[in-house]
Amino acid sequence: MKHIYLIDKENTGNRFLNGIEKLKQEDLVIVFHYEQAGSINTVILSALANTKASVEIRKMHSHTKNAMDFQICTYLGYLYGKYKNKAKYRIISNDKGYQAAVEFLKMHIDPEMDISIMPSIGYNGEDEPANKELLGILLKDYSNKVINRVNTGIKSSADTNSFHTFLQKNLNKDCQRIYSIIKPHYREIKAAF
């Protein structure tokens, strides 16, 4: 069955990517992005280019309070009209405000509608490891052992300087290369812990 993911990118950052590598060809990912926020970063673009799912990027022009939420809910209604129960609908966001829309849809439109709100594409109801999938995308040329070590370094460091020191002690061979890959995304990955 087709899964449709409506991504509230401004609310999830790169974290929505967790699990994107498991999507199937019939799935659809729709990324809602504020035009005023600038371009979408290369990590997200790379992950979207490499998924098997179809991808749409919807640029939002209005940046008023809750504008993206309303636009996502409106597009969800359009998609439900198009696919009905031939799809499962997933709103990817940390915003609990979507719950009211989900309850309305289930109560007044279709109690059988398969819809949920999740923090990432691959969310399975448990606490997620902090951006481990994102690290996997960034460090695709490295083994799981190295990725796990980098994840530990990010968790245990207070800032990029202490993270760099961790890498020097634990991954001296590829320290500089890994640091240059992770540094631009350090804050975002760290925030997921």
Side-chain angles (χ1 to χ4, degrees):
M1 180 176 281
K2 180 185 207 75
H3 285 75
I4 299 175
Y5 298 90
L6 297 115
I7 312 296
D8 182 347
K9 184 189 149 305
E10 307 313 316
N11 182 273
T12 60
N14 287 8
R15 187 177 174 125
F16 81 82
L17 294 171
N18 292 349
I20 197 167
E21 70 283 352
K22 296 176 183 165
L23 296 185
K24 299 178 181 143
Q25 193 169 2
E26 67 266 17
D27 296 332
L28 173 60
V29 175
I30 306 161
V31 179
F32 290 82
H33 169 69
Y34 282 124
E35 188 174 54
Q36 296 91 332
S39 59
I40 297 176
N41 72 46
T42 56
V43 172
I44 292 175
L45 291 175
S46 175
L48 293 174
N50 290 314
T51 184
K52 293 177 188 170
S54 297
V55 174
E56 295 177 13
I57 297 177
R58 298 281 173 182
K59 283 189 176 181
M60 306 291 101
H61 303 287
S62 176
H63 198 277
T64 58
K65 185 175 170 69
N66 296 324
M68 184 171 291
D69 303 357
F70 294 128
Q71 292 168 14
I72 287 173
C73 289
T74 300
Y75 204 66
L76 172 64
Y78 161 76
L79 291 168
Y80 180 75
K82 184 175 181 178
Y83 296 107
K84 303 275 190 237
N85 287 326
K86 294 179 183 158
K88 295 181 179 187
Y89 305 89
R90 304 294 182 251
I91 298 172
I92 309 302
S93 179
N94 293 307
D95 186 342
K96 303 301 180 209
Y98 288 108
Q99 192 58 42
V102 168
E103 288 169 8
F104 180 85
L105 288 166
K106 287 183 138 309
M107 187 180 277
H108 298 286
I109 306 298
D110 184 353
E112 302 300 314
M113 184 179 192
D114 190 339
I115 181 171
S116 58
I117 305 160
M118 308 181 329
S120 71
I121 289 172
Y123 182 70
N124 62 7
E126 300 172 6
D127 287 337
E128 295 183 288
N131 275 346
K132 199 150 179 211
E133 284 83 359
L134 175 56
L135 285 175
I137 292 166
L138 290 170
L139 302 173
K140 63 182 178 237
D141 298 332
Y142 291 92
S143 69
N144 281 336
K145 183 178 177 181
V146 170
I147 293 168
N148 288 336
R149 193 163 290 162
V150 170
N151 194 46
T152 300
I154 293 171
K155 272 185 183 177
S156 64
S157 61
D159 54 29
T160 53
N161 288 334
S162 58
F163 174 62
H164 188 260
T165 302
F166 175 90
L167 291 177
Q168 287 175 322
K169 290 179 182 175
N170 293 279
L171 293 168
N172 55 5
K173 177 183 172 195
D174 290 323
C175 170
Q176 282 309 119
R177 182 169 183 259
I178 291 172
Y179 181 71
S180 66
I181 293 170
I182 300 298
K183 186 180 177 187
H185 309 283
Y186 176 85
R187 252 194 193 155
E188 188 174 351
I189 296 169
K190 183 74 173 173
F193 287 100

PDB file of all heavy atoms in Angstrom, residues 73-100:
ATOM      1  N   CYS A  73      -2.355  20.572   6.004  1.00  0.00           N
ATOM      2  CA  CYS A  73      -3.679  19.982   6.228  1.00  0.00           C
ATOM      3  C   CYS A  73      -4.559  20.101   4.982  1.00  0.00           C
ATOM      4  O   CYS A  73      -5.289  19.166   4.638  1.00  0.00           O
ATOM      5  CB  CYS A  73      -4.351  20.640   7.432  1.00  0.00           C
ATOM      6  SG  CYS A  73      -3.595  20.176   8.998  1.00  0.00           S
ATOM      7  N   THR A  74      -4.475  21.232   4.287  1.00  0.00           N
ATOM      8  CA  THR A  74      -5.244  21.412   3.055  1.00  0.00           C
ATOM      9  C   THR A  74      -4.799  20.406   1.997  1.00  0.00           C
ATOM     10  O   THR A  74      -5.622  19.759   1.342  1.00  0.00           O
ATOM     11  CB  THR A  74      -5.069  22.852   2.521  1.00  0.00           C
ATOM     12  OG1 THR A  74      -5.529  23.764   3.517  1.00  0.00           O
ATOM     13  CG2 THR A  74      -5.832  23.059   1.225  1.00  0.00           C
ATOM     14  N   TYR A  75      -3.487  20.237   1.852  1.00  0.00           N
ATOM     15  CA  TYR A  75      -2.970  19.294   0.854  1.00  0.00           C
ATOM     16  C   TYR A  75      -3.310  17.856   1.239  1.00  0.00           C
ATOM     17  O   TYR A  75      -3.603  17.028   0.373  1.00  0.00           O
ATOM     18  CB  TYR A  75      -1.459  19.480   0.680  1.00  0.00           C
ATOM     19  CG  TYR A  75      -0.967  18.996  -0.659  1.00  0.00           C
ATOM     20  CD1 TYR A  75      -1.360  19.620  -1.835  1.00  0.00           C
ATOM     21  CD2 TYR A  75      -0.119  17.902  -0.752  1.00  0.00           C
ATOM     22  CE1 TYR A  75      -0.923  19.169  -3.073  1.00  0.00           C
ATOM     23  CE2 TYR A  75       0.331  17.446  -1.983  1.00  0.00           C
ATOM     24  CZ  TYR A  75      -0.082  18.082  -3.132  1.00  0.00           C
ATOM     25  OH  TYR A  75       0.347  17.637  -4.365  1.00  0.00           O
ATOM     26  N   LEU A  76      -3.314  17.574   2.529  1.00  0.00           N
ATOM     27  CA  LEU A  76      -3.720  16.248   3.004  1.00  0.00           C
ATOM     28  C   LEU A  76      -5.155  15.956   2.566  1.00  0.00           C
ATOM     29  O   LEU A  76      -5.457  14.849   2.096  1.00  0.00           O
ATOM     30  CB  LEU A  76      -3.590  16.169   4.525  1.00  0.00           C
ATOM     31  CG  LEU A  76      -4.164  14.918   5.195  1.00  0.00           C
ATOM     32  CD1 LEU A  76      -3.424  13.672   4.742  1.00  0.00           C
ATOM     33  CD2 LEU A  76      -4.090  15.059   6.703  1.00  0.00           C
ATOM     34  N   GLY A  77      -6.049  16.945   2.706  1.00  0.00           N
ATOM     35  CA  GLY A  77      -7.433  16.763   2.265  1.00  0.00           C
ATOM     36  C   GLY A  77      -7.518  16.483   0.769  1.00  0.00           C
ATOM     37  O   GLY A  77      -8.272  15.606   0.328  1.00  0.00           O
ATOM     38  N   TYR A  78      -6.727  17.211  -0.001  1.00  0.00           N
ATOM     39  CA  TYR A  78      -6.676  16.982  -1.444  1.00  0.00           C
ATOM     40  C   TYR A  78      -6.215  15.544  -1.744  1.00  0.00           C
ATOM     41  O   TYR A  78      -6.820  14.838  -2.562  1.00  0.00           O
ATOM     42  CB  TYR A  78      -5.739  17.995  -2.106  1.00  0.00           C
ATOM     43  CG  TYR A  78      -5.272  17.587  -3.478  1.00  0.00           C
ATOM     44  CD1 TYR A  78      -6.111  17.693  -4.591  1.00  0.00           C
ATOM     45  CD2 TYR A  78      -3.990  17.063  -3.666  1.00  0.00           C
ATOM     46  CE1 TYR A  78      -5.689  17.299  -5.844  1.00  0.00           C
ATOM     47  CE2 TYR A  78      -3.564  16.673  -4.917  1.00  0.00           C
ATOM     48  CZ  TYR A  78      -4.412  16.786  -6.009  1.00  0.00           C
ATOM     49  OH  TYR A  78      -3.990  16.382  -7.254  1.00  0.00           O
ATOM     50  N   LEU A  79      -5.148  15.114  -1.068  1.00  0.00           N
ATOM     51  CA  LEU A  79      -4.610  13.765  -1.300  1.00  0.00           C
ATOM     52  C   LEU A  79      -5.610  12.685  -0.894  1.00  0.00           C
ATOM     53  O   LEU A  79      -5.750  11.671  -1.583  1.00  0.00           O
ATOM     54  CB  LEU A  79      -3.290  13.581  -0.547  1.00  0.00           C
ATOM     55  CG  LEU A  79      -2.113  14.398  -1.083  1.00  0.00           C
ATOM     56  CD1 LEU A  79      -0.950  14.371  -0.098  1.00  0.00           C
ATOM     57  CD2 LEU A  79      -1.682  13.894  -2.449  1.00  0.00           C
ATOM     58  N   TYR A  80      -6.308  12.909   0.208  1.00  0.00           N
ATOM     59  CA  TYR A  80      -7.307  11.925   0.626  1.00  0.00           C
ATOM     60  C   TYR A  80      -8.417  11.833  -0.426  1.00  0.00           C
ATOM     61  O   TYR A  80      -8.866  10.735  -0.756  1.00  0.00           O
ATOM     62  CB  TYR A  80      -7.892  12.264   1.997  1.00  0.00           C
ATOM     63  CG  TYR A  80      -8.912  11.227   2.397  1.00  0.00           C
ATOM     64  CD1 TYR A  80      -8.511   9.976   2.834  1.00  0.00           C
ATOM     65  CD2 TYR A  80     -10.271  11.483   2.269  1.00  0.00           C
ATOM     66  CE1 TYR A  80      -9.441   9.001   3.154  1.00  0.00           C
ATOM     67  CE2 TYR A  80     -11.216  10.522   2.580  1.00  0.00           C
ATOM     68  CZ  TYR A  80     -10.792   9.274   3.020  1.00  0.00           C
ATOM     69  OH  TYR A  80     -11.709   8.308   3.324  1.00  0.00           O
ATOM     70  N   GLY A  81      -8.831  12.969  -0.982  1.00  0.00           N
ATOM     71  CA  GLY A  81      -9.834  12.953  -2.037  1.00  0.00           C
ATOM     72  C   GLY A  81      -9.358  12.168  -3.247  1.00  0.00           C
ATOM     73  O   GLY A  81     -10.140  11.510  -3.934  1.00  0.00           O
ATOM     74  N   LYS A  82      -8.080  12.204  -3.500  1.00  0.00           N
ATOM     75  CA  LYS A  82      -7.495  11.524  -4.666  1.00  0.00           C
ATOM     76  C   LYS A  82      -7.298  10.021  -4.421  1.00  0.00           C
ATOM     77  O   LYS A  82      -7.599   9.196  -5.293  1.00  0.00           O
ATOM     78  CB  LYS A  82      -6.147  12.178  -4.993  1.00  0.00           C
ATOM     79  CG  LYS A  82      -5.466  11.655  -6.226  1.00  0.00           C
ATOM     80  CD  LYS A  82      -4.206  12.458  -6.532  1.00  0.00           C
ATOM     81  CE  LYS A  82      -3.528  11.956  -7.782  1.00  0.00           C
ATOM     82  NZ  LYS A  82      -2.338  12.755  -8.113  1.00  0.00           N
ATOM     83  N   TYR A  83      -6.777   9.637  -3.236  1.00  0.00           N
ATOM     84  CA  TYR A  83      -6.402   8.245  -2.983  1.00  0.00           C
ATOM     85  C   TYR A  83      -7.327   7.493  -2.031  1.00  0.00           C
ATOM     86  O   TYR A  83      -7.274   6.273  -1.967  1.00  0.00           O
ATOM     87  CB  TYR A  83      -4.975   8.173  -2.418  1.00  0.00           C
ATOM     88  CG  TYR A  83      -3.920   8.655  -3.372  1.00  0.00           C
ATOM     89  CD1 TYR A  83      -3.287   9.872  -3.164  1.00  0.00           C
ATOM     90  CD2 TYR A  83      -3.563   7.911  -4.490  1.00  0.00           C
ATOM     91  CE1 TYR A  83      -2.317  10.330  -4.045  1.00  0.00           C
ATOM     92  CE2 TYR A  83      -2.598   8.361  -5.377  1.00  0.00           C
ATOM     93  CZ  TYR A  83      -1.980   9.580  -5.142  1.00  0.00           C
ATOM     94  OH  TYR A  83      -1.023  10.021  -6.009  1.00  0.00           O
ATOM     95  N   LYS A  84      -8.126   8.211  -1.270  1.00  0.00           N
ATOM     96  CA  LYS A  84      -9.005   7.615  -0.245  1.00  0.00           C
ATOM     97  C   LYS A  84      -8.208   6.638   0.628  1.00  0.00           C
ATOM     98  O   LYS A  84      -7.134   6.962   1.081  1.00  0.00           O
ATOM     99  CB  LYS A  84     -10.208   6.940  -0.893  1.00  0.00           C
ATOM    100  CG  LYS A  84     -11.026   7.855  -1.751  1.00  0.00           C
ATOM    101  CD  LYS A  84     -12.022   8.611  -0.937  1.00  0.00           C
ATOM    102  CE  LYS A  84     -12.995   9.340  -1.851  1.00  0.00           C
ATOM    103  NZ  LYS A  84     -13.030  10.737  -1.633  1.00  0.00           N
ATOM    104  N   ASN A  85      -8.734   5.423   0.799  1.00  0.00           N
ATOM    105  CA  ASN A  85      -8.070   4.431   1.658  1.00  0.00           C
ATOM    106  C   ASN A  85      -7.092   3.534   0.909  1.00  0.00           C
ATOM    107  O   ASN A  85      -6.721   2.466   1.397  1.00  0.00           O
ATOM    108  CB  ASN A  85      -9.115   3.589   2.398  1.00  0.00           C
ATOM    109  CG  ASN A  85      -9.780   4.394   3.491  1.00  0.00           C
ATOM    110  OD1 ASN A  85      -9.137   5.238   4.105  1.00  0.00           O
ATOM    111  ND2 ASN A  85     -11.057   4.161   3.717  1.00  0.00           N
ATOM    112  N   LYS A  86      -6.648   3.985  -0.250  1.00  0.00           N
ATOM    113  CA  LYS A  86      -5.622   3.250  -0.991  1.00  0.00           C
ATOM    114  C   LYS A  86      -4.232   3.706  -0.566  1.00  0.00           C
ATOM    115  O   LYS A  86      -3.241   3.301  -1.149  1.00  0.00           O
ATOM    116  CB  LYS A  86      -5.808   3.446  -2.496  1.00  0.00           C
ATOM    117  CG  LYS A  86      -7.086   2.827  -3.012  1.00  0.00           C
ATOM    118  CD  LYS A  86      -7.266   3.058  -4.483  1.00  0.00           C
ATOM    119  CE  LYS A  86      -8.596   2.465  -4.909  1.00  0.00           C
ATOM    120  NZ  LYS A  86      -9.095   3.058  -6.129  1.00  0.00           N
ATOM    121  N   ALA A  87      -4.177   4.567   0.443  1.00  0.00           N
ATOM    122  CA  ALA A  87      -2.889   5.083   0.929  1.00  0.00           C
ATOM    123  C   ALA A  87      -2.940   5.213   2.447  1.00  0.00           C
ATOM    124  O   ALA A  87      -4.011   5.293   3.047  1.00  0.00           O
ATOM    125  CB  ALA A  87      -2.577   6.434   0.301  1.00  0.00           C
ATOM    126  N   LYS A  88      -1.736   5.223   3.022  1.00  0.00           N
ATOM    127  CA  LYS A  88      -1.560   5.529   4.441  1.00  0.00           C
ATOM    128  C   LYS A  88      -0.915   6.901   4.500  1.00  0.00           C
ATOM    129  O   LYS A  88       0.032   7.172   3.766  1.00  0.00           O
ATOM    130  CB  LYS A  88      -0.674   4.478   5.111  1.00  0.00           C
ATOM    131  CG  LYS A  88      -1.291   3.102   5.140  1.00  0.00           C
ATOM    132  CD  LYS A  88      -0.389   2.111   5.844  1.00  0.00           C
ATOM    133  CE  LYS A  88      -1.058   0.744   5.860  1.00  0.00           C
ATOM    134  NZ  LYS A  88      -0.295  -0.216   6.669  1.00  0.00           N
ATOM    135  N   TYR A  89      -1.418   7.745   5.367  1.00  0.00           N
ATOM    136  CA  TYR A  89      -0.985   9.136   5.423  1.00  0.00           C
ATOM    137  C   TYR A  89      -0.177   9.378   6.695  1.00  0.00           C
ATOM    138  O   TYR A  89      -0.603   9.021   7.792  1.00  0.00           O
ATOM    139  CB  TYR A  89      -2.205  10.065   5.388  1.00  0.00           C
ATOM    140  CG  TYR A  89      -3.079   9.788   4.194  1.00  0.00           C
ATOM    141  CD1 TYR A  89      -4.112   8.848   4.265  1.00  0.00           C
ATOM    142  CD2 TYR A  89      -2.863  10.432   2.984  1.00  0.00           C
ATOM    143  CE1 TYR A  89      -4.908   8.569   3.163  1.00  0.00           C
ATOM    144  CE2 TYR A  89      -3.651  10.156   1.879  1.00  0.00           C
ATOM    145  CZ  TYR A  89      -4.671   9.217   1.977  1.00  0.00           C
ATOM    146  OH  TYR A  89      -5.452   8.939   0.885  1.00  0.00           O
ATOM    147  N   ARG A  90       0.999  10.000   6.532  1.00  0.00           N
ATOM    148  CA  ARG A  90       1.880  10.276   7.668  1.00  0.00           C
ATOM    149  C   ARG A  90       2.300  11.742   7.625  1.00  0.00           C
ATOM    150  O   ARG A  90       2.928  12.180   6.654  1.00  0.00           O
ATOM    151  CB  ARG A  90       3.127   9.391   7.620  1.00  0.00           C
ATOM    152  CG  ARG A  90       2.834   7.893   7.564  1.00  0.00           C
ATOM    153  CD  ARG A  90       2.180   7.400   8.853  1.00  0.00           C
ATOM    154  NE  ARG A  90       1.936   5.978   8.832  1.00  0.00           N
ATOM    155  CZ  ARG A  90       0.721   5.431   8.740  1.00  0.00           C
ATOM    156  NH1 ARG A  90      -0.342   6.207   8.635  1.00  0.00           N
ATOM    157  NH2 ARG A  90       0.565   4.135   8.746  1.00  0.00           N
ATOM    158  N   ILE A  91       1.951  12.475   8.669  1.00  0.00           N
ATOM    159  CA  ILE A  91       2.424  13.848   8.814  1.00  0.00           C
ATOM    160  C   ILE A  91       3.697  13.767   9.632  1.00  0.00           C
ATOM    161  O   ILE A  91       3.694  13.254  10.754  1.00  0.00           O
ATOM    162  CB  ILE A  91       1.381  14.741   9.515  1.00  0.00           C
ATOM    163  CG1 ILE A  91       0.107  14.816   8.681  1.00  0.00           C
ATOM    164  CG2 ILE A  91       1.964  16.136   9.765  1.00  0.00           C
ATOM    165  CD1 ILE A  91      -1.052  15.518   9.375  1.00  0.00           C
ATOM    166  N   ILE A  92       4.808  14.235   9.074  1.00  0.00           N
ATOM    167  CA  ILE A  92       6.093  14.173   9.755  1.00  0.00           C
ATOM    168  C   ILE A  92       6.361  15.538  10.372  1.00  0.00           C
ATOM    169  O   ILE A  92       6.698  16.498   9.689  1.00  0.00           O
ATOM    170  CB  ILE A  92       7.229  13.767   8.791  1.00  0.00           C
ATOM    171  CG1 ILE A  92       6.855  12.497   8.020  1.00  0.00           C
ATOM    172  CG2 ILE A  92       8.539  13.603   9.559  1.00  0.00           C
ATOM    173  CD1 ILE A  92       6.540  11.275   8.872  1.00  0.00           C
ATOM    174  N   SER A  93       6.182  15.594  11.696  1.00  0.00           N
ATOM    175  CA  SER A  93       6.321  16.848  12.421  1.00  0.00           C
ATOM    176  C   SER A  93       6.414  16.574  13.915  1.00  0.00           C
ATOM    177  O   SER A  93       5.963  15.529  14.389  1.00  0.00           O
ATOM    178  CB  SER A  93       5.107  17.746  12.147  1.00  0.00           C
ATOM    179  OG  SER A  93       5.212  18.951  12.859  1.00  0.00           O
ATOM    180  N   ASN A  94       6.976  17.509  14.635  1.00  0.00           N
ATOM    181  CA  ASN A  94       6.977  17.458  16.097  1.00  0.00           C
ATOM    182  C   ASN A  94       5.881  18.357  16.659  1.00  0.00           C
ATOM    183  O   ASN A  94       5.761  18.506  17.862  1.00  0.00           O
ATOM    184  CB  ASN A  94       8.341  17.910  16.639  1.00  0.00           C
ATOM    185  CG  ASN A  94       9.422  16.924  16.275  1.00  0.00           C
ATOM    186  OD1 ASN A  94       9.314  15.741  16.533  1.00  0.00           O
ATOM    187  ND2 ASN A  94      10.464  17.416  15.632  1.00  0.00           N
ATOM    188  N   ASP A  95       5.088  18.950  15.782  1.00  0.00           N
ATOM    189  CA  ASP A  95       4.025  19.865  16.169  1.00  0.00           C
ATOM    190  C   ASP A  95       2.783  19.068  16.553  1.00  0.00           C
ATOM    191  O   ASP A  95       2.189  18.390  15.713  1.00  0.00           O
ATOM    192  CB  ASP A  95       3.734  20.806  14.993  1.00  0.00           C
ATOM    193  CG  ASP A  95       2.733  21.899  15.326  1.00  0.00           C
ATOM    194  OD1 ASP A  95       2.001  21.776  16.325  1.00  0.00           O
ATOM    195  OD2 ASP A  95       2.685  22.869  14.565  1.00  0.00           O
ATOM    196  N   LYS A  96       2.376  19.164  17.802  1.00  0.00           N
ATOM    197  CA  LYS A  96       1.210  18.415  18.294  1.00  0.00           C
ATOM    198  C   LYS A  96      -0.101  19.017  17.802  1.00  0.00           C
ATOM    199  O   LYS A  96      -1.152  18.410  17.936  1.00  0.00           O
ATOM    200  CB  LYS A  96       1.219  18.374  19.829  1.00  0.00           C
ATOM    201  CG  LYS A  96       2.483  17.776  20.425  1.00  0.00           C
ATOM    202  CD  LYS A  96       2.714  16.364  19.959  1.00  0.00           C
ATOM    203  CE  LYS A  96       3.979  15.803  20.578  1.00  0.00           C
ATOM    204  NZ  LYS A  96       4.635  14.820  19.788  1.00  0.00           N
ATOM    205  N   GLY A  97      -0.062  20.212  17.223  1.00  0.00           N
ATOM    206  CA  GLY A  97      -1.263  20.853  16.721  1.00  0.00           C
ATOM    207  C   GLY A  97      -1.957  20.078  15.610  1.00  0.00           C
ATOM    208  O   GLY A  97      -3.158  20.230  15.390  1.00  0.00           O
ATOM    209  N   TYR A  98      -1.215  19.230  14.901  1.00  0.00           N
ATOM    210  CA  TYR A  98      -1.811  18.432  13.832  1.00  0.00           C
ATOM    211  C   TYR A  98      -2.809  17.415  14.370  1.00  0.00           C
ATOM    212  O   TYR A  98      -3.649  16.914  13.634  1.00  0.00           O
ATOM    213  CB  TYR A  98      -0.733  17.701  13.030  1.00  0.00           C
ATOM    214  CG  TYR A  98       0.080  18.598  12.138  1.00  0.00           C
ATOM    215  CD1 TYR A  98       1.399  18.891  12.436  1.00  0.00           C
ATOM    216  CD2 TYR A  98      -0.461  19.148  10.992  1.00  0.00           C
ATOM    217  CE1 TYR A  98       2.161  19.711  11.618  1.00  0.00           C
ATOM    218  CE2 TYR A  98       0.286  19.969  10.163  1.00  0.00           C
ATOM    219  CZ  TYR A  98       1.591  20.243  10.481  1.00  0.00           C
ATOM    220  OH  TYR A  98       2.338  21.061   9.668  1.00  0.00           O
ATOM    221  N   GLN A  99      -2.720  17.101  15.646  1.00  0.00           N
ATOM    222  CA  GLN A  99      -3.608  16.097  16.235  1.00  0.00           C
ATOM    223  C   GLN A  99      -5.077  16.481  16.062  1.00  0.00           C
ATOM    224  O   GLN A  99      -5.930  15.628  15.823  1.00  0.00           O
ATOM    225  CB  GLN A  99      -3.275  15.875  17.716  1.00  0.00           C
ATOM    226  CG  GLN A  99      -3.944  14.659  18.315  1.00  0.00           C
ATOM    227  CD  GLN A  99      -3.602  13.368  17.586  1.00  0.00           C
ATOM    228  OE1 GLN A  99      -2.462  13.116  17.213  1.00  0.00           O
ATOM    229  NE2 GLN A  99      -4.605  12.533  17.359  1.00  0.00           N
ATOM    230  N   ALA A 100      -5.397  17.783  16.162  1.00  0.00           N
ATOM    231  CA  ALA A 100      -6.776  18.237  15.989  1.00  0.00           C
ATOM    232  C   ALA A 100      -7.283  17.915  14.585  1.00  0.00           C
ATOM    233  O   ALA A 100      -8.439  17.478  14.406  1.00  0.00           O
ATOM    234  CB  ALA A 100      -6.880  19.732  16.271  1.00  0.00           C
TER     235      ALA A 100
END
